[in-house]
């Protein structure tokens, strides 16, 4: 292997003496001597690089014990690093000495020293105008310090990208596959420069690079830093690079998903359009087209629901994510893309197929029939199949909850269309009360049927009072005491939106009920989802749209 490689005679002693002499140079004559030797020094550095790239880093240091002293001194000489290809060659030599898997404290210390030199070579702070020596040097080239640094970075990035893509490296005859240790070293030297715009092409090339190694060759620090910069919008990356980042480093995918959830929960959003915009910008729905990414994101959402006890904000975020994922899957142009059912492999497939139907791909007149079909399948699966495990029941509930748009449509159809109410009420009862211990779901169903019957008697009334609506649920206090107040709130909110009499008391009643039952966030979520759906359909009368906007304006100030 590398230990048996025949290497040319390299005169390290001569060039180390020169480097020491030049480091102490203060006269014009000594600087002239330095400049005269720069072409020979560059050739010597090329020879070192051509030798090192075929050697193991440990063997190289053992065979050339002076190499560290020499490279260290040359990296701090502005005349050397400013000459032609010398700086790039110095960097590649350092990368070859970097140990991708340090085994002891000495190797760890050597890696730290190499990283500091790489940072120095590409750090703009080393070229500030208050550095008289470097300022004089760059000015003789016709550049300002900033210009020099900018051109240096662009050239370096171009050379590295070319190298990684397997082409000629600016005169250095680099052919064949780049070694894993070299790729790892390149990823490490990018760390202090991640947010530089000129580095984007190199980041993309690294993230898309696969050298055939059985384990990850990019450093975890690099992957974590790139992900952190991306989610905080410090850098912009193409979708393909981001997908590869998350496939290579699942912890980054987990962090991105949790960051998105925290971001959406912590800021005041007034519309689902805003929620959709933030989620799209994260690239998570697009990346989730890859099943491995979808499964991880899905698990994180499940855990978020468990930890927050299914708060309306988190539920709405998950439902919007699923909608955007379905859109991204539909827009995917790949010939061999995964069928949608593949993303839900452990569920009852006819139910999955029914839930996956886009509501707006069906005539509105068919919605009630489709919802009855979903409800009948779900009820048979839950009640006729002896599902005793809470975990299994949660999985079925989560599947239904992800497609919450169908649930919202069910609540609307109960009031707006001629339907068989029991099937749709059972679907809502299951969503709001999946457990049936002590007959909870059964009791929820009974209460929902009673409230629904009373609401339908009031639906055609053009003049209503708050007391009329209170009677529908016996009293506001009874809402708190009923088996599931959330389902009752959902039915009441839709009644106010879609009945002519409800419009006249909507603001007064919603203010009253949210004050009494502390359901402001829940009502706000229902209104936001309804507004989003109405905007997509564009068929609702203007009085309902106006009422929605007024209610949202007041509630969002209150939440």
């Amino acid at each position: 292997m590398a230990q048996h490689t025949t290497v040319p005679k390299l005169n390290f002693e001569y060039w180390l003496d020169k480097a020491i002499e030049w480091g102490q140079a203060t006269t014009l004559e000594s600087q002239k001597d330095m400049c005269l030797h720069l072409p020979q020094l560059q050739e010597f550095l090329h020879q070192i690089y051509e030798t090192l790239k075929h050697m193991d880093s440990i063997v190289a240091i053992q065979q050339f014990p002076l190499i560290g002293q020499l490279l260290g001194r040359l990296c701090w000489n502005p005349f050397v690093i400013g000459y032609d290809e010398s700086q790039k060659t110095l960097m590649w030599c350092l990368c070859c000495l970097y140990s991708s898997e340090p085994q002891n404290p000495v190797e760890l210390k050597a890696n730290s020293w190499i990283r500091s030199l790489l940072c120095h070579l590409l750090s703009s702070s080393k070229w500030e105008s208050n550095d008289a020596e470097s300022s004089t040097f760059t000015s003789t080239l016709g550049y300002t310090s900033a210009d020099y640094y900018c051109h240096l970075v662009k050239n370096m990035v171009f050379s590295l990208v070319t190298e990684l893509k397997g082409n000629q490296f600016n005169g250095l005859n680099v052919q064949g596959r780049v070694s894993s240790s070299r790729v790892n070293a390149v990823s490490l030297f990018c760390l202090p420069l991640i947010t530089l715009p000129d580095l984007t092409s190199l980041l993309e090339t690294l993230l898309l690079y696969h050298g055939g190694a059985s384990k990850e060759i990019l450093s975890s620090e690099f992957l974590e830093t790139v992900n952190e910069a991306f989610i905080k919008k410090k850098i912009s990356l193409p979708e393909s690079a981001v997908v590869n980042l998350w496939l290579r480093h699942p912890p980054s995918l987990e962090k991105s998903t949790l960051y998105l959830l925290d971001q959406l929960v912590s800021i005041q959003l007034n519309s689902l359009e805003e929620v959709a915009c933030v989620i799209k910008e994260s690239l998570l729905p697009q990346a989730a087209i890859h099943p491995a990414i979808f499964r991880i994101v899905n698990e994180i959402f499940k855990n978020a629901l468990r930890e927050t006890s299914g708060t309306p904000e988190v539920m709405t975020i998950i439902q919007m994510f699923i909608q955007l994922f379905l859109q991204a899957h539909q827009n995917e142009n790949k010939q061999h893309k995964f069928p949608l059912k593949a993303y839900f492999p452990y569920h009852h497939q006819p139910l999955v197929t029914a839930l996956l139907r886009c509501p707006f791909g069906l005539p509105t007149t068919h919605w009630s029939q489709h919802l009855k079909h979903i409800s009948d399948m779900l009820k048979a699966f839950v009640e006729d199949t002896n599902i005793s495990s809470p975990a299994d029941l949660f999985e079925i509930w989560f599947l239904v909850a992800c497609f919450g748009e169908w649930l919202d449509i069910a609540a609307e159809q109960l009031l707006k269309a001629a339907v068989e109410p029991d099937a749709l009420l059972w679907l809502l009862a299951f969503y709001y009360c999946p457990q049936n211990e002590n007959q909870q779901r059964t009791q929820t169903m009974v209460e929902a049927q009673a409230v629904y019957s009373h609401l339908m008697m009031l639906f055609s009334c053009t003049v209503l009072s708050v007391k009329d609506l209170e009677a529908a649920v016996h009293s506001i206090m009874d809402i708190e005491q009923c088996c599931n107040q959330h389902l009752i709130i959902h039915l009441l909110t839709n009644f106010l939106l879609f009945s002519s009499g409800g419009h006249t008391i909507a603001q007064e009643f919603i203010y009253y009920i949210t004050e009494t039952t502390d359901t402001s966030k829940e009502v706000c979520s229902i209104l936001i989802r309804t507004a989003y759906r109405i905007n997509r359909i564009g068929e609702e009368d203007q009085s309902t749209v106006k009422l929605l906007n007024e209610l949202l304006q007041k509630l969002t100030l209150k939440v």
Side-chain angles (χ1 to χ4, degrees), residues 200 203-208 210 226-227 230 235-248 253 256 279-291 293 321 324-325 327-334 337 343:
T200 302
L203 300 182
E204 181 183 356
T205 303
L206 283 167
L207 292 171
L208 297 176
H210 293 280
V226 171
N227 187 65
F230 174 73
I235 59 172
S236 177
L237 290 171
E239 185 181 316
S240 58
V242 176
V243 171
N244 270 273
L245 165 63
W246 291 336
L247 287 172
R248 303 181 85 128
L253 172 59
S256 299
I279 296 176
K280 276 183 182 178
E281 286 178 356
S282 74
L283 295 186
L284 280 167
Q286 300 90 314
I289 291 173
H290 197 292
I293 291 178
F321 172 86
L324 294 173
F325 158 71
Q327 290 174 21
H329 186 276
Q330 185 178 3
N331 296 334
E332 178 78 352
N333 292 322
K334 289 183 180 177
K337 64 182 180 181
Y343 298 90

Side-chain angles (χ1 to χ4, degrees), residues 334-499:
K334 289 183 180 177
Q335 185 177 358
H336 303 292
K337 64 182 180 181
F338 291 92
L340 279 170
K341 290 190 291 186
Y343 298 90
F344 308 94
Y346 306 115
H347 292 290
H348 185 56
Q349 289 302 301
L351 178 60
V352 170
T353 302
L355 290 168
L356 283 168
R357 287 292 299 269
C358 175
F360 306 105
L362 287 172
T364 55
T365 52
H366 292 185
W367 282 355
S368 297
Q369 182 182 352
H370 189 71
L371 283 163
K372 185 179 184 306
H373 177 54
I374 291 173
S375 180
D376 290 345
M377 276 195 295
L378 182 62
K379 186 175 182 180
F381 192 62
V382 170
E383 294 188 349
D384 298 344
T385 308
N386 187 20
I387 297 176
S388 56
S389 164
D392 290 343
L393 191 61
F394 175 82
E395 289 293 330
I396 299 169
W397 173 84
F398 182 76
L399 174 68
V400 174
C402 283
F403 299 92
E405 192 163 34
W406 277 120
L407 298 165
D408 287 330
I409 291 172
E412 287 180 18
Q413 289 290 296
L414 281 166
L415 296 164
K416 293 171 64 178
V419 298
E420 296 178 30
D422 285 356
L424 274 58
L425 285 170
W426 189 93
L427 180 60
L428 291 169
F430 174 78
Y431 171 66
Y432 284 110
C433 190
Q435 299 281 356
N436 201 28
E437 292 180 14
N438 302 318
Q439 299 296 303
Q440 286 174 300
R441 194 191 319 128
T442 303
Q443 181 61 28
T444 296
M445 182 68 178
V446 170
E447 292 170 357
Q449 287 171 324
V451 171
Y452 172 72
S453 297
H454 201 132
L455 290 177
M456 290 310 293
M457 286 190 291
L458 298 174
F459 194 78
S460 58
C461 298
T462 55
V463 179
L464 286 174
S465 67
V466 171
K467 289 184 178 181
D468 293 328
L469 207 51
E470 282 183 31
V473 286
H474 307 298
S475 74
I476 296 299
M477 288 304 295
D478 282 342
I479 293 180
E480 290 183 318
Q481 295 165 6
C482 74
C483 197
N484 198 293
Q485 68 167 337
H486 307 293
L487 173 51
I488 306 302
I489 294 291
H490 201 159
L491 293 174
L492 287 171
T493 303
N494 277 353
F495 176 84
L496 294 168
L497 289 174
F498 301 114
S499 67

Side-chain angles (χ1 to χ4, degrees), residues 525-542:
S525 292
I526 294 170
L527 295 175
I528 286 175
R529 297 196 304 268
T530 304
Y532 180 71
R533 191 163 50 260
I534 285 175
N535 288 337
R536 291 174 71 187
I537 301 173
E539 294 179 355
E540 204 62 47
D541 65 273
Q542 289 304 305

Side-chain angles (χ1 to χ4, degrees), residues 73 75 142 148 494 535 554:
R73 288 180 177 275
C75 284
Y148 178 82
N494 277 353
N535 288 337
K554 290 190 176 182

